[in-house]
Amino acid sequence: MQTGIKAVDQLILKHGIMADLGSDTFQRRSRLTGGDERANALPFCMYQKVAHAPLSHQFTVHHFYMPGSKGKLASFLFNEKGQLIEQVYYQKVARWVKVCRKLQQLVQMPTSDIHMAA
């Protein structure tokens, strides 16, 4: 999939899209439970969902970054069923918003369809 920005395409080819928890220079995927204090570092809309959820609820957060500039691209919050419940695009330029939307499509693909880097 081409995002329209060569640097991001190269990062996707190099790292793939994480299906499991972990992190690298391009992305970080982590699991939070309802009321988790680590939610303080999330955007406010995501913080509200996690902080006010019962302890029995689990969430997965997937962040994307541009390694060179260390700028944030996007963050996605999923519930325990894998459904997207919040997304934040940090970029305001239309070209980068398009990249964030394509990243969202990749993250929402079923796990079996996700390209994993070797």
Side-chain angles (χ1 to χ4, degrees), residues 8-100:
V8 175
D9 292 339
Q10 290 173 343
L11 287 167
I12 292 170
L13 285 174
K14 180 179 178 184
H15 298 285
I17 301 295
M18 287 187 176
D20 294 321
L21 305 179
S23 66
D24 56 36
T25 57
F26 176 52
Q27 60 196 316
R28 183 177 77 226
R29 188 173 177 104
S30 56
R31 178 142 309 130
L32 302 172
T33 56
D36 197 320
E37 289 183 15
R38 294 177 294 166
N40 293 337
L42 295 175
F44 187 71
C45 59
M46 293 182 184
Y47 164 77
Q48 285 186 305
K49 299 276 186 191
V50 175
H52 299 297
L55 293 173
S56 60
H57 288 206
Q58 290 193 352
F59 301 91
T60 302
V61 182
H62 202 132
H63 301 283
F64 287 96
Y65 308 92
M66 281 303 292
S69 61
K70 299 198 182 351
K72 296 178 183 179
L73 286 177
S75 295
F76 304 100
L77 179 68
F78 299 92
N79 64 14
E80 58 263 350
K81 295 176 184 174
Q83 297 168 325
L84 181 68
I85 54 176
E86 287 288 345
Q87 87 269 343
V88 173
Y89 301 153
Y90 296 99
Q91 305 299 317
K92 304 295 184 224
V93 178
R95 186 174 146 190
W96 283 96
V97 170
K98 180 181 170 190
V99 169
C100 293

